[in-house]
Every structure is written in C-alpha cells, then in structure tokens.
Amino acid sequence: MVCLWCVLVLLTLLPASQSTAGVKVRLTQKALEYGRQIGITVLQQKLKTITVPDFSGSTRVRPIGKVRFSFTRMRIVSLGLPKSAVGLVPGTSVKFSIRNAFIKMQGNWRVKYLFIRDSGSFDLSVNDLTITTSIAILRDATGRPAVNSAGCSATVGSAKVKFRGGASWLYNLFRSSAGKAIRKALEKKICPLVAKTIPDMNPRLKTLNVLAKVDKYAEIEYSMVASPVISKESIDLSLKGEFYNIGQHREPPFSPTPFSLPLQNSNMLYIGLSAFTVNSAAFVYHTAGALSLYITDDMIPSNIPIRLNTRTFGTFIPQIAKMYPGLMMKLHMKTAKVPIITFQPNNVTVQASSTVTAYAIQPSATLSPLFVLNLDASVSARIYVTGLKVAGSLTLNSFEMTLGKSYVGLFQVKPLDTIFATVLRWAVLPIVNVNLRKGYPLPAVGKMNLINPKLQVLQDYALIGTDLKFTG
C-alpha cells in the first residue's frame, strides 16, 4: 500500500543473489513501526480516492413484488484508520494490516415500484473495515529492490444507510439490500486498489544509489547480492559494497570476509561496513595512480624550522649540499603497492608502502633526482558518519625507511627520520585528511536522513546504528 512506501524505502538495501557482501544492513521492527506511523496518513489519502461505481439492483418484497433501486454519485467524505500494524512473515514478506477502520460516504438513490418513483440522497457508514496485505520484495535488473502484492484480503463488517428525501415507507423496502450491495462493492474495490498501489512505490525505490559516484576516480556499487533474510524480528540485507574505478569495473585480488551483524534492535537501522569495502577503495585509488603527491616547501608551516632545501638535507647528507648548494627541493611520494586497512575492535590501522623520490629544483626549474627511499608507514584511522557519508582522518603511528636508490652516493637513512616525520605530519597527512573528510556515500533512498548515528569499529567491520527520518 502507499502508506508502506516509507517502510519499503528502508528495504532499498534489500539484496538478491550473488556473492559475499561487503556491506550488510539490518532493518528492525522499530523501523517498520516508524514507516507505519508516517505512512498511515498517506494511506488515508489514497483510500479517499476510492470511487464506488453507480450500481442498481432489485429486491422482491412480499407481497408487493419486485422493487428496483439504483445508487449514483457515491463519494467518500471521511475515513478513519484507528488500528494498524506492520510485521514480518519469516522468510517471505512484509505484512500490513488495518482493523476497525470506518468510512463515511454520501450519494444519491432512486427507487421504482410499479408506477411509483422516488429519489433522494443518502449517508452511508461503513464500519469494522479490515484490510490485510502482504508485500513481496523482488530484485530488478539494476540490482535495486522492487515490490509487488503477494496477497490481500478486505472485509467490511457493516454498512448502514441513512436515507434523505422521498417517502419513508419506501426506505424499508430496500434498506437491507442496499447496505449489503454497497458492502460487497467496497470489498471488491479495496484489494484491486492495493494491488495497483504497491507497484507505485517502485519509482521511489529506484532512487537507491546502486552506483554512487565518489569523485573523479571512484564510484561505489550498492547492488543487492543475496536474498533478504527475513526473521520475526528483523530483515538482514546484503549489498555489494565495492569501489570501482569510474567506468571500469575491475575486481580486486581479494574477496570480502564473511561477517555477521550483532543482535541489536535499539535503532531502526544497522549498517555493517566491512574492511573489504575500504580496501577495495584503496585498490581503486592505487590502481588509478591517485595515491601520489608532490611535496614542496610551501606545504610545510612557516614556523617549522625544517625546510625542504639542500641546506637542510645537506646537514645529514653532505654531498647534497656540495653538489646542489642553495637549492629548494621537491619530494614525490606514491604508493608502491595497495595499502592494507584492518578493522579490529576500536581500532582502524592502515599499512602503506610508498616510494619517496627527492629532487633538487634547478634555477631553470629542471628537477635533478637525488635519491629514492622506500617508506613503510603505519597509520591510525578515525572513521565517523557525517550526513549520509562515512568520512575519516589519519594519524601517523610509525614509519621505517630504507634506501632504494641514490644519485649522490651512499648515505645513512636513519638520520632523515626527523625530516620525514615532519613532512608526513605537516604536509602529507593534512592533504590526505582534507580528502577523507569529503567522505563516501552510504546507501540511501530519496530524502533519507540519519538521526543520531553511532559508529563502532568491530572485528573486520564497522557498525553504524542509527534512526531514520524521511523528509518528503
């Protein structure tokens, strides 16, 4: 039903069938209840659009014979849905039910008996209306969820007619027949409306960012990769959760490690982001050559005494000062292999292996190579939720350097630790953190907002627990 779209957009994270998931989602009963509450108003508006077609009938009244009647221009003037519930049918579907609903209608009546004709208006009270519908979750060709009706039943407890105009003795000839006929007409109209309305939700479900652009290098795929696991308490969902180079879907040389979400239900939604997802990002950016940076002296704060010039480096490598006196320097840092990110309880660590090539900048702007260092760094990461994105920042733990190649003769690398610690902390990491603060998009549908999200790092994945709010 229309009212359930708010619930079912939460199911946009629903899967279908393929491989191990990089992202898992749990939708709890609390989320379904939220959808029921905000959706019941929508359903009321939709039900008000029901049109009962004009119809006529006849009834035989002893001893006077057949009485013909007709009802026209029937319309709903008010409707109430005092009791509703939404729940899960383990392994199959979402079930939505309404009880004790009532409808008030108005219309015109006309009656014919022998040569007697009469007409007027009427008020109709329909009470004890019950609607039960099941909604099946499917997967469309794009990896997005789609819904359709898996069953519906509707019953009307009673339909009482109050006639206006005409002769009162005529009312009694067809009052009971009229109520029965209208009740049956309404019962026949409700379920077809439900069946038609449920697919109307699919355009909203198609707003799921199955392929979300991150930047000029990368996009992340959130297509469904396994069928939903529906229990009595929740729906567990699986999404691909993998980064790709823009326009080139190349699989990394590693696969997701299976993981399970903990049994929690205090929030509406839980999202598990595996280490595979962020490692696939590292693979993409390394493959694209994006993990590369030129470092110049102006990137180091002016109040720091260590400068990128041959004088500073000449203190530790005298031949540099002799061969290239009084010149500024430039460093080129790039990853030598794909960084490795590990998730452990309350701890995210990045192991990165890079090469650093140092150049002297000649007056003609020509770069003269000085040396190449191999640099292995351990970095701690803090990840957090901002809006509908996951962002982060890095802090240097430790690093080790070895000499890869020298153009100025052999020298000891260890004395350069202070210089490169300064370069990493004051030039490299601030630039990296600016990009990490931009974040990457979480799976989302329409105008969905996360309310009070909390992120915790567990073994091999990070867990986001959050409530939801839809605006519009």
Side-chain angles (χ1 to χ4, degrees):
M1 300 186 126
V2 166
C3 83
L4 279 180
W5 86 265
C6 296
V7 170
L8 291 172
V9 292
L10 308 179
L11 303 182
T12 56
L13 314 169
L14 282 179
S17 67
Q18 258 183 3
S19 56
T20 305
V23 172
K24 289 194 173 184
V25 173
R26 172 165 293 156
L27 182 66
T28 68
Q29 182 65 38
K30 184 177 180 181
L32 295 176
E33 180 62 22
Y34 168 70
R36 181 196 66 80
Q37 291 174 0
I38 63 176
I40 200 69
T41 301
V42 180
L43 178 59
Q44 284 181 303
Q45 295 301 318
K46 192 68 177 180
L47 286 177
K48 286 181 179 178
T49 66
I50 291 178
T51 57
V52 180
D54 297 348
F55 68 93
S56 59
S58 64
T59 184
R60 188 168 294 278
V61 180
R62 293 181 180 179
I64 60 177
K66 182 181 291 187
V67 176
R68 298 182 182 277
F69 59 86
S70 63
F71 294 90
T72 60
R73 301 182 64 184
M74 288 177 286
R75 63 195 182 280
I76 294 175
V77 293
S78 67
L79 181 146
L81 307 175
K83 293 184 179 180
S84 61
V86 63
L88 301 170
V89 181
T92 60
S93 60
V94 177
K95 182 179 180 180
F96 184 79
S97 61
I98 294 171
R99 295 180 293 114
N100 297 341
F102 63 87
I103 300 175
K104 295 186 182 302
M105 302 180 66
Q106 292 180 346
N108 297 331
W109 62 270
R110 188 178 299 275
V111 68
K112 178 181 178 182
Y113 166 65
L114 295 177
F115 301 104
I116 301 173
R117 300 174 183 269
D118 207 349
S119 63
S121 62
F122 69 88
D123 296 327
L124 173 68
S125 295
V126 176
N127 296 300
D128 296 326
L129 171 62
T130 299
I131 305 171
T132 302
T133 183
S134 295
I135 301 174
I137 313 299
L138 310 172
R139 180 183 186 271
D140 70 13
T142 68
R144 291 179 171 88
V147 296
N148 65 20
S149 176
C152 174
S153 63
T155 59
V156 176
S158 65
K160 297 180 179 180
V161 183
K162 182 178 181 180
F163 294 99
R164 301 179 185 281
S168 60
W169 67 272
L170 284 173
Y171 301 162
N172 296 322
L173 295 179
F174 61 95
R175 184 189 300 273
S176 61
S177 296
K180 183 178 181 180
I182 294 175
R183 187 175 74 248
K184 289 183 176 181
L186 284 173
E187 288 178 343
K188 290 180 179 180
K189 290 285 289 185
I190 290 172
C191 279
L193 176 69
V194 170
K196 180 181 178 182
T197 299
I198 289 174
D200 289 346
M201 292 181 283
N202 287 323
R204 292 187 175 95
L205 299 180
K206 286 184 181 295
T207 63
L208 171 65
N209 51 346
V210 162
L211 197 60
K213 184 177 179 180
V214 179
D215 52 31
K216 66 179 181 179
Y217 299 105
E219 56 193 6
I220 183 169
E221 183 176 340
Y222 285 125
S223 61
M224 303 186 297
V225 299
S227 298
V229 178
I230 303 177
S231 68
K232 186 177 180 180
E233 293 80 19
S234 65
I235 304 176
D236 281 2
L237 321 165
S238 299
L239 308 180
K240 193 169 185 64
E242 183 172 344
F243 280 78
Y244 290 105
N245 288 110
I246 293 286
Q248 181 183 2
H249 282 203
R250 175 184 173 188
E251 297 296 328
F254 49 85
S255 301
T257 299
F259 68 99
S260 299
L261 300 182
L263 297 176
Q264 298 183 21
N265 56 17
S266 58
N267 288 117
M268 295 179 187
L269 189 68
Y270 292 91
I271 303 175
L273 305 172
S274 71
F276 166 81
T277 296
V278 292
N279 277 294
S280 71
F283 173 78
V284 163
Y285 287 105
H286 173 77
T287 303
L291 302 181
S292 174
L293 177 66
Y294 281 98
I295 305 157
T296 54
D297 183 72
D298 58 356
M299 296 165 64
I300 298 175
S302 58
N303 61 333
I304 293 178
I306 293 177
R307 312 312 309 174
L308 289 187
N309 56 41
T310 56
R311 178 180 178 182
T312 296
F313 277 80
T315 303
F316 306 100
I317 311 173
Q319 52 266 47
I320 287 180
K322 292 178 182 179
M323 295 173 64
Y324 302 99
L327 296 182
M328 301 303 295
M329 290 175 57
K330 175 183 285 190
L331 304 177
H332 181 215
M333 178 178 288
K334 65 177 181 179
T335 51
K337 55 185 179 181
V338 179
I340 299 174
I341 300 100
T342 56
F343 285 7
Q344 295 176 322
N346 303 313
N347 184 40
V348 180
T349 304
V350 183
Q351 299 291 336
S353 296
S354 305
T355 61
V356 182
T357 303
Y359 299 93
I361 305 174
Q362 299 286 0
S364 62
T366 301
L367 298 180
S368 298
L370 304 175
F371 56 80
V372 180
L373 299 180
N374 302 314
L375 188 152
D376 294 322
S378 172
V379 179
S380 289
R382 181 178 75 90
I383 56 176
Y384 56 93
V385 178
T386 174
L388 288 173
K389 292 184 176 183
V390 171
S393 62
L394 302 181
T395 304
L396 181 65
N397 290 333
S398 61
F399 67 94
E400 292 182 359
M401 296 187 299
T402 59
L403 182 61
K405 186 174 183 179
S406 176
Y407 300 91
V408 295
L410 295 178
F411 60 89
Q412 295 295 315
V413 173
K414 187 65 175 176
L416 299 178
D417 280 2
T418 301
I419 294 177
F420 280 92
T422 300
V423 169
L424 290 171
R425 288 193 173 96
W426 293 101
V428 176
L429 289 183
I431 292 176
V432 173
N433 286 337
V434 166
N435 288 315
L436 290 177
R437 279 197 296 269
K438 297 176 183 177
Y440 73 83
L442 290 166
V445 174
K447 297 180 180 180
M448 183 179 94
N449 294 310
L450 306 185
I451 306 300
N452 299 322
K454 293 180 175 59
L455 185 148
Q456 55 181 320
V457 179
L458 303 172
Q459 187 66 43
D460 295 327
Y461 72 101
L463 180 67
I464 299 170
T466 184
D467 288 334
L468 297 167
K469 184 177 182 180
F470 286 91
T471 57

